[in-house]
Amino acid sequence: MKQQGTIFRGIAGALALAMIVAALPSESWARDRSSHISKEALEQIETVLEREVDEGVRAGFVAAVVTREGVIYEEAVGMADPFNDAPMTTDTRFRIASMTKPVISVAVMQLVDRGLIALSDPVERFIPAYANPQVAVSKTRQEDGSFETRPAKRSITIHDLLTHTAGIGYVFSMQSDLDKAYLEANLLLTEGDLGDRIDRIAELPLLTEPGEVWSYSYSIDVLGRVIEVASGMELEAYLMENLFEPLGMDDTEFFLSEEDFDGLAVVVEFNEEGEMIRSEGNALSSNVNDEAFGIASGGAGLVSTVDDYGRFMRMLLNDGALDGARILSSATVDLMMADHVPMEARPEPWKTTGMSFGLGGYVILEPGYMGNVAAEGDWGWAGYWDTHFFVNREENIGAILLAQTQPNPHIKPSRARDLVKGVAYGALRD
């Protein structure tokens, strides 16, 4: 168990690093940049990705660069299934894991725009199990198996959930009994509908007081249930009607059944000898190469394509609308991409890297402290199985990089996300 805990902490650290996709510090242009991007310069992305595949760092990639006006660059390299010689294509679908979170956050803010949710609403308004939240005094179980707790200073709000400051735990730590309890409540492995699974999480004490500490969590999963209650629709049905169909995201859905394996890339991992093998999963999920999740989860679970997620990104770049479909107000997109986490609440690494969190994604505040390619205003997120994206509205550019790799202690480090983003920004022309 000690070794397993070390693995999970390593995965959490890797995921935290994966959040930090970067951009080039430069002057800002608030104009249409689509005609000021060198497509010839963007061709270097294929070279970068082919090198990673040739070196055995990854099985394959799909990458795209977008502006609000359209897709400027798109390429697939390597294999979607290296064990059956299936090539990667731009139609390949990927398990985007936590890149589901920005989608859910947009859906929540859509309900805010419609007056069905207020950011200041207490969560118990929608999920009664969160009434009278308790904070753990000790994260070690007592002799009877319970945790010593005290009443929280206030209720958890919708804003707390959107910013991961609710005090709720997650699956990426096994340092304490309470961490293990949150892992055991894993939405993807427990039984019942979404309401049942969220109620199970709500039974656990909070790790910290609401609003005081940023901690990656089940918060967005909880918001998936809030969407159901506030809208009166099941989560996937709401997303289909209000986001996916209006945006033309025809290949995006929750990974619910065997039918959803059609066109899906295989998740690979590396063994102790450094060989690439077909992943069999781990304690965080079922074997995703053989089993669907079977649940619509707010924090993970979507499968998508580069084209579909690119349309989601273009909507954000275009102030909340795309091809006549208005998803969010421009003011709401502004709010989502603003800084919402005060310095004292940020994780220690963020306090010295110029990084913070908006509503549903990280935000870069001081790119000079990032230590890699970064631009002020970058907003984005990453997914557990090696997917990454960012958008920057001021520069009118975004990039997405998709692969399918299981994190483990033997994973080979990839430079692709930093190099691709560097090339994307380097292609901007005056």
Side-chain angles (χ1 to χ4, degrees):
M1 187 63 74
K2 182 178 180 181
Q3 181 183 6
Q4 190 180 44
T6 301
I7 290 171
F8 288 153
R9 289 193 294 276
I11 291 171
L15 183 61
L17 288 175
M19 300 171 193
I20 309 173
V21 282
L24 179 69
S26 59
E27 61 177 311
S28 293
W29 298 272
R31 68 171 95 121
D32 173 4
R33 301 281 309 192
S34 62
S35 60
H36 298 276
I37 295 178
S38 168
K39 295 183 180 180
E40 181 179 358
L42 290 177
E43 291 175 1
Q44 182 64 24
I45 290 176
E46 183 177 5
T47 302
V48 167
L49 299 182
E50 285 181 341
R51 185 187 309 129
E52 295 257 313
V53 172
D54 290 344
E55 292 175 356
V57 174
R58 294 293 184 268
F61 296 96
V62 177
V65 176
V66 302
T67 68
R68 62 178 62 96
E69 291 77 25
V71 178
I72 306 302
Y73 176 88
E74 188 175 85
E75 188 61 65
V77 302
M79 308 300 288
D81 183 353
F83 313 105
N84 291 292
D85 295 325
M88 194 74 82
T89 73
T90 55
D91 293 327
T92 299
R93 298 208 299 173
F94 295 80
R95 305 157 190 79
I96 62 171
S98 286
M99 275 173 51
T100 302
K101 290 178 171 68
V103 175
I104 297 299
S105 299
V106 163
V108 169
M109 295 308 295
Q110 189 178 62
L111 292 173
V112 171
D113 277 351
R114 295 173 181 177
L116 295 175
I117 294 175
L119 292 180
S120 58
D121 278 342
V123 179
E124 64 258 32
R125 182 184 184 97
F126 308 96
I127 305 175
Y130 272 108
N132 305 311
Q134 300 291 306
V135 179
V137 173
S138 171
K139 297 176 184 178
T140 301
R141 288 189 185 274
Q142 302 180 101
E143 289 186 5
D144 64 358
S146 65
F147 293 95
E148 182 183 359
T149 63
R150 66 171 186 273
K153 295 176 183 177
R154 64 168 175 79
S155 295
I156 301 169
T157 66
I158 299 299
H159 185 268
D160 294 331
L161 294 177
L162 282 165
T163 57
H164 289 289
T165 60
I168 295 170
Y170 210 21
V171 296
F172 289 114
S173 176
M174 295 217 11
Q175 295 181 2
S176 71
D177 291 342
L178 186 52
D179 293 329
K180 294 171 187 175
Y182 272 104
L183 174 61
E184 290 165 1
N186 189 336
L187 283 168
L188 301 181
L189 299 177
T190 52
E191 299 296 327
D193 61 19
L194 185 57
D196 295 332
R197 300 182 193 210
I198 294 298
D199 283 350
R200 231 172 262 129
I201 293 172
E203 292 173 358
L204 298 172
L206 302 180
L207 299 174
T208 60
E209 290 286 348
E212 294 189 359
V213 177
W214 189 97
S215 182
Y216 202 38
S217 68
Y218 282 121
S219 288
I220 312 301
D221 295 284
V222 175
L223 283 171
R225 178 59 181 158
V226 170
I227 290 170
E228 291 188 334
V229 176
S231 69
M233 301 174 67
E234 290 188 352
L235 180 58
E236 185 170 53
Y238 180 86
L239 295 178
M240 286 290 183
E241 182 175 317
N242 294 277
L243 268 76
F244 301 155
E245 290 177 3
L247 289 175
M249 297 172 65
D250 299 330
D251 292 311
T252 302
E253 61 186 343
F254 281 102
F255 189 30
L256 302 179
S257 68
E258 291 184 2
E259 295 175 358
D260 300 323
F261 278 94
D262 185 35
L264 200 60
V266 168
V267 177
V268 305
E269 64 180 76
F270 295 90
N271 62 19
E272 293 181 3
E273 289 73 37
E275 299 168 327
M276 186 180 294
I277 60 174
R278 190 175 187 270
S279 176
E280 295 183 357
N282 61 26
L284 298 185
S285 73
S286 58
N287 183 348
V288 292
N289 281 322
D290 296 321
E291 300 176 47
F293 292 147
I295 185 71
S297 162
L302 284 177
V303 295
S304 192
T305 64
V306 69
D307 286 335
D308 275 16
Y309 212 87
R311 292 187 66 79
F312 175 74
M313 293 161 60
R314 288 180 56 212
M315 175 273 294
L316 293 170
L317 289 171
N318 200 42
D319 298 336
L322 185 67
D323 295 340
R326 170 62 63 181
I327 304 300
L328 295 174
S329 69
S330 176
T332 295
V333 179
D334 288 340
L335 184 62
M336 292 188 72
M337 296 187 182
D339 176 21
H340 285 259
V341 180
M343 181 67 76
E344 62 272 15
R346 296 176 198 167
E348 285 302 320
W350 291 7
K351 293 178 181 179
T352 56
T353 56
M355 183 175 177
S356 191
F357 201 78
L359 300 180
Y362 71 76
V363 60
I364 303 302
L365 305 174
E366 299 177 89
Y369 293 136
M370 290 295 296
N372 54 16
V373 182
E376 184 178 353
D378 283 354
W379 186 93
W381 204 240
Y384 180 75
W385 285 291
D386 214 1
T387 59
H388 315 265
F389 88 99
F390 84 95
V391 292
N392 188 307
R393 292 163 75 209
E394 185 71 12
E395 303 286 2
N396 185 20
I397 193 170
I400 179 171
L401 180 65
L402 303 173
Q404 294 282 259
T405 317
Q406 173 75 44
N408 73 4
H410 312 296
I411 190 171
K412 294 184 178 181
S414 171
R415 301 161 63 226
R417 66 178 181 270
D418 292 335
L419 295 175
V420 166
K421 194 170 184 184
V423 172
Y425 269 97
L428 293 177
R429 298 290 184 265
D430 241 338

